[in-house]
Amino acid sequence: MEKCSLLLTAPPLVVLLVTALNPGDADPQRLPSNLTASAALKTAEAAAGAHPTAGGRAEEKKEEHLDCPPLGLESLRVDDSQIRASSSQRSGLGPQRGRLNIQSGIQDGDLYDGAWCAQFKDRQQWLEVDAVHPTLFTGVILQGRNSIWSWDWVETYKVQLSNDSVGWQTCMNGTTETIFKGNRDPETPVLGLLPTPTVARFIRINPQSWFSNGSICLRAEVLGCGLQDPADRSEHDPLSKDDLDFRHHSYMEMRKLMKSVREECPNITRIYTIGRSYMGLKLYVMEFSDNPGKHELGEPEFRYVAGMHGNEALGRELLLNLMQFLCKEYLKGNQRVVRLVTETRIHLLPSMNPDGYEAAYEKGSELAGWADGRYNFEGIDLNHNFPDLNNILWDAQEKAADASKVPNHYIPIPEYYTREDATVAPETRAVISWMQDIPFVLGANLHGGELVVTYPFDCTRDWAPQENTPTADDTFFRWLASVYASTHLVLSNPDRRVCHYEDFQSHNNIINGGAWHTVPGSMNDFSYLHTNCLELTVELSCDKFPHASELPAEWENNKESLLVYLEQVHRGIKGVVRDKVSRQGIADAIIKVDGHAHDIRSAADGDFWRLLNPGEYKVVVWAKGYFPSMRRCRVGMEPRPTICDFTLTEIPAQRLKEIHAKGGRVPQDHQLRVRALRLRKLRASTKAINRRREKQQLQPRGGSMKN
């Protein structure tokens, strides 16, 4: 029985999911003398490793099958020059756009549309991928066209294979050509596994039927294991020299890994939780410090947050990698890591939206699509769920006779947001409370699906869809963004390809959030206006949920960036605000930098950190009941902060009486009181909601026990 007879075929494998119609058994074909069937399988298995077919869940050992990773259409590992097509409607719908999960712009008709679309509607159309080297092809993942205006997808297709792109063989089902099931909508990825994994160099997707009111359009990924050439030593080199656990971790596996890091480095780590998801999964944080669990006077607090969108899984794995790396390198005596751990209190939250991640993880990296798992269990986008303090500030400034007198920091949460019926996710509530408990100085929010670093403001004025909306700290934010982008191995590559439709290289791979697209209620803007913490968003990779085989390379792409960005927390000025007589620290003192319309406050012990670019600054410190104090502080080019302490003199009681007697006014800190009151209300409503949810979760169990 002939099946792809021009090709090298491996013996049939047991698979878990086949979307081909009535797949038949396949007979192994003859292999070249230098590559036996067992050798082909052995090299393929080495390439596949323990990675699942769709990059997510690892299967039970008893289910023996071959898990081949994607070639890399989505991740851009496959170059545009490796993709050809029979025809195209136009260049913006050319073969280079036939990549899984590629996104189109708002405008149809440009160079960056959302699929490959054939010019003709017939069964002779095809999309071809050149794997460059002999590859054991195991499957195809198909998706329709991403477009606001058009509905196009392929419903059934054939797969053809070749060694030279001239002679082609169609994959067979017994004596008939195999017809694979395609899509029924534009966005859901559908996996089709070859009845017989087959070795070849070229693969074609040949559409047979398509949506009746649409065109032949598709996005695709190809699954295959590269066959290693024993003479090519480079193929055996590991993608990363760091001995880390490179795979996607479920919630339970993440907990286990964090526990193992804690056990390996008990003196510098601590695991704690900041709350629970809607489904009751704990939001775990790993802390690194030479004195875990305690804020040390003068030592800045730093945070990385990942997994706000559950399907953007790379950030989660990078933070798990970072935990392992910091622990191992500290034990080795790596002086850079030792300095970071001893001089900084580092907090790593790998999964802010664990419910969303579990939904995406269940489907796997290539099958989760663009949005599955993005939102929390309630369907809330957590990056639009924080209080919109931007418009509160801007409205107050517009109404004020003197906008400079309007408080520009520590803006209270609005009253409506504290109610029990407010649409506020439990994950958002947990992070807001976390921000109050720890005096964070710097952070980053790790996302995926693009390659760019964005900085506040994310929300635009007057609800403009796109508008550059800088903060008072715009120059320092741009520095921070440049630090990450310039050290990222892919972002810093001038020859890299555009992910979807926007060329951020024209912006040096950094952009103001509002200039990209407006995001009211973002965590970054809230952090800036409600706390002392400056925070960026890092879009880590074109692929939101890279296959596990991509993780070592992604770690290398981001490792230096993660470390050097963390080190920026030690720039600017820092000091302690003390009472002149008692020498005790003064909490909540206001630190004003002349020329910067954004103030910060001292922490509970009186210490503060003001991130600034090199220069000389006039700094004024004030606290309720004290005379203000001013001094000049110079920030140098060195990557360390300038010490700038302040001592405040308390206003005598007699002096206060005299001021009141003359009708004078003593500055009051009303905003601080309102801020604290609203936070107490938010925490009270959170407790009430949690108690009610726990009762609801227990009721079905109680009922089932009675029955």
Side-chain angles (χ1 to χ4, degrees):
M1 189 179 335
E2 184 174 276
K3 294 183 177 65
C4 305
S5 60
L6 294 180
L7 311 174
L8 315 178
T9 62
L13 303 172
V14 179
V15 293
L16 297 181
L17 173 64
V18 178
T19 58
L21 301 180
N22 302 318
D25 295 329
D27 295 327
Q29 300 298 307
R30 186 177 179 183
L31 298 169
S33 58
N34 65 336
L35 184 63
T36 63
S38 61
L41 281 174
K42 190 175 293 183
T43 55
E45 288 166 354
H51 309 310
T53 302
R57 300 179 66 85
E59 307 297 342
E60 299 286 343
K61 289 184 178 179
K62 63 182 179 182
E63 312 225 39
E64 294 185 10
H65 66 101
L66 185 62
D67 292 333
C68 284
L71 262 61
L73 276 78
E74 182 179 12
S75 67
L76 305 184
R77 194 167 68 248
V78 172
D79 189 74
D80 286 351
S81 63
Q82 296 172 240
I83 314 173
R84 296 196 310 140
S86 53
S87 66
S88 300
Q89 290 183 14
R90 50 183 170 79
S91 57
L93 291 167
Q96 78 282 359
R97 303 299 294 174
R99 299 172 180 272
L100 188 72
N101 284 323
I102 203 164
Q103 302 294 294
S104 69
I106 295 176
Q107 300 294 330
D108 279 357
D110 60 13
L111 294 176
Y112 303 106
D113 218 315
W116 161 68
C117 291
Q119 182 179 0
F120 308 105
K121 295 183 181 181
D122 59 47
R123 294 181 178 179
Q124 281 68 55
Q125 304 307 305
W126 45 261
L127 182 74
E128 177 185 317
V129 179
D130 177 4
V132 180
H133 303 291
T135 299
L136 183 68
F137 291 111
T138 59
V140 170
I141 298 173
L142 223 59
Q143 200 175 31
R145 177 182 177 183
N146 176 254
S147 172
I148 297 174
W149 315 107
S150 303
W151 274 40
D152 304 291
W153 59 81
V154 169
E155 294 184 340
T156 61
Y157 62 98
K158 296 179 182 179
V159 172
Q160 299 171 334
L161 299 160
S162 173
N163 285 329
D164 55 11
S165 190
V166 177
W168 291 88
Q169 289 293 319
T170 301
C171 286
M172 305 294 288
N173 172 24
T175 58
T176 61
E177 296 179 336
T178 301
I179 303 295
F180 293 86
K181 291 180 181 178
N183 302 104
R184 291 293 181 267
D185 63 68
E187 293 298 331
T188 305
V190 175
L191 170 65
L193 292 175
L194 274 60
T196 304
T198 306
V199 176
R201 173 176 167 179
F202 300 90
I203 185 169
R204 277 183 179 178
I205 300 167
N206 173 215
Q208 297 298 296
S209 64
W210 44 92
F211 178 50
S212 58
N213 293 327
S215 300
I216 297 176
C217 297
L218 63 86
R219 293 174 285 168
E221 183 60 87
V222 176
L223 305 180
C225 295
L227 302 184
Q228 296 177 353
D229 182 353
D232 188 354
R233 293 185 174 274
S234 63
E235 294 186 9
H236 301 273
D237 293 339
L239 296 175
S240 176
K241 295 182 179 179
D242 294 321
D243 182 20
L244 308 177
D245 187 8
F246 292 118
R247 62 191 174 100
H248 287 292
H249 296 78
S250 68
Y251 175 75
M252 296 302 294
E253 291 166 343
M254 179 189 74
R255 284 179 27 164
K256 184 177 180 180
L257 185 146
M258 293 177 71
K259 182 180 178 182
S260 69
V261 173
R262 171 77 181 92
E263 291 172 348
E264 188 174 359
C265 293
N267 296 326
I268 60 167
T269 61
R270 178 176 73 106
I271 300 173
Y272 64 97
T273 63
I274 61 171
R276 291 179 181 268
S277 70
Y278 183 88
M279 294 302 292
L281 301 182
K282 293 181 179 179
L283 307 185
Y284 286 103
V285 178
M286 173 70 81
E287 174 191 340
F288 281 86
S289 170
D290 60 345
N291 195 356
K294 184 179 184 299
H295 173 72
E296 298 181 75
L297 189 70
E299 187 170 290
E301 308 263 0
F302 178 95
R303 70 170 181 253
Y304 273 130
V305 176
M308 169 178 271
H309 294 145
N311 63 331
E312 296 170 15
L314 178 56
R316 171 191 179 106
E317 296 307 323
L318 287 177
L319 292 193
L320 295 179
N321 293 155
L322 184 59
M323 293 174 194
Q324 299 169 74
F325 179 81
L326 292 176
C327 173
K328 292 175 183 294
E329 294 301 307
Y330 183 90
L331 295 177
K332 291 178 183 178
N334 181 323
Q335 287 305 298
R336 184 185 192 186
V337 171
V338 170
R339 185 167 58 252
L340 277 172
V341 171
T342 56
E343 297 180 0
T344 321
R345 193 177 177 209
I346 304 165
H347 305 260
L348 307 177
L349 171 59
S351 190
M352 180 178 167
N353 179 8
D355 295 347
Y357 174 79
E358 289 298 300
Y361 177 80
E362 186 71 26
K363 291 188 175 182
S365 62
E366 275 60 57
L367 298 181
W370 189 250
D372 288 351
R374 174 185 176 90
Y375 308 102
N376 83 333
F377 186 83
E378 299 170 282
I380 296 173
D381 187 331
L382 301 183
N383 204 32
H384 292 261
N385 196 227
F386 287 79
D388 176 11
L389 305 184
N390 304 57
N391 285 288
I392 292 175
L393 171 65
W394 296 331
D395 290 347
Q397 290 175 337
E398 288 179 4
K399 294 174 183 177
D402 184 356
S404 66
K405 302 296 184 183
V406 175
N408 57 34
H409 72 298
Y410 264 43
I411 298 173
I413 295 169
E415 180 70 31
Y416 77 85
Y417 197 87
T418 66
R419 297 198 300 260
E420 290 184 33
D421 60 353
T423 306
V424 185
E427 298 89 351
T428 309
R429 292 173 179 269
V431 170
I432 290 175
S433 183
W434 185 41
M435 290 179 175
Q436 318 302 320
D437 293 337
I438 297 175
F440 291 113
V441 179
L442 180 63
N445 187 4
L446 306 184
H447 285 248
E450 195 41 276
L451 274 168
V452 68
V453 183
T454 74
Y455 51 91
F457 285 123
D458 294 328
C459 183
T460 59
R461 292 175 182 262
D462 302 319
W463 305 102
Q466 289 179 308
E467 184 177 70
N468 186 53
T469 313
T471 67
D473 289 283
D474 190 60
T475 56
F476 193 78
F477 270 124
R478 289 177 62 83
W479 161 260
L480 289 171
S482 297
V483 163
Y484 200 102
S486 64
T487 52
H488 188 282
L489 297 186
V490 178
L491 275 167
S492 60
N493 180 3
D495 299 322
R496 73 176 179 87
R497 185 190 184 283
V498 171
C499 283
H500 300 286
Y501 57 89
E502 293 180 280
D503 184 7
F504 292 108
Q505 295 215 55
S506 60
H507 303 280
N508 294 318
N509 301 305
I510 68 172
I511 192 170
N512 173 264
W516 185 16
H517 59 267
T518 187
V519 182
S522 79
M523 185 166 75
N524 293 358
D525 286 4
F526 175 79
S527 178
Y528 183 71
L529 294 174
H530 188 70
T531 75
N532 292 334
C533 185
L534 275 60
E535 187 169 53
L536 303 179
T537 290
V538 182
E539 298 284 349
L540 297 161
S541 171
C542 300
D543 190 346
K544 287 185 176 184
F545 200 143
H547 189 272
S549 61
E550 302 274 0
L551 295 179
E554 290 291 2
W555 165 248
E556 291 300 322
N557 290 340
N558 287 275
K559 177 170 66 174
E560 179 60 23
S561 302
L562 290 167
L563 295 173
V564 74
Y565 182 80
L566 201 163
E567 291 169 334
Q568 303 313 302
V569 76
H570 294 284
R571 289 193 176 272
I573 62 174
K574 75 171 186 177
V576 182
V577 182
R578 290 187 172 91
D579 181 284
K580 183 178 181 180
V581 176
S582 69
R583 307 302 298 171
Q584 294 296 311
I586 300 173
D588 296 314
I590 298 175
I591 293 90
K592 294 177 175 286
V593 177
D594 191 40
H596 284 65
H598 183 75
D599 306 332
I600 64 164
R601 298 215 179 215
S602 59
D605 296 330
D607 45 352
F608 71 91
W609 306 262
R610 185 61 168 96
L611 299 177
L612 295 164
N613 281 322
E616 187 167 316
Y617 300 93
K618 177 183 174 182
V619 184
V620 177
V621 174
W622 171 82
K624 181 183 176 182
Y626 289 86
F627 291 110
S629 176
M630 187 277 289
R631 62 176 295 186
R632 294 189 179 276
C633 306
R634 182 182 178 280
V635 177
M637 299 294 293
E638 305 81 11
R640 60 175 179 270
T642 298
I643 306 300
C644 205
D645 294 327
F646 286 84
T647 301
L648 300 186
T649 301
E650 190 172 9
I651 302 174
Q654 183 59 34
R655 176 61 177 154
L656 291 174
K657 289 180 181 179
E658 292 172 0
I659 293 173
H660 287 303
K662 294 179 180 180
R665 297 181 63 187
V666 177
Q668 300 294 315
D669 206 342
H670 294 297
Q671 180 156 306
L672 186 64
R673 293 205 304 273
V674 173
R675 182 179 181 274
L677 174 62
R678 300 272 174 82
L679 177 62
R680 287 197 296 271
K681 287 185 176 181
L682 181 68
R683 285 176 165 168
S685 66
T686 299
K687 287 182 179 179
I689 292 169
N690 289 342
R691 284 195 298 267
R692 187 164 61 247
R693 185 173 298 131
E694 288 171 3
K695 288 181 180 178
Q696 291 172 349
Q697 291 173 348
L698 288 173
Q699 282 176 354
R701 296 177 187 175
S704 62
M705 287 176 67
K706 291 178 182 179
N707 295 332

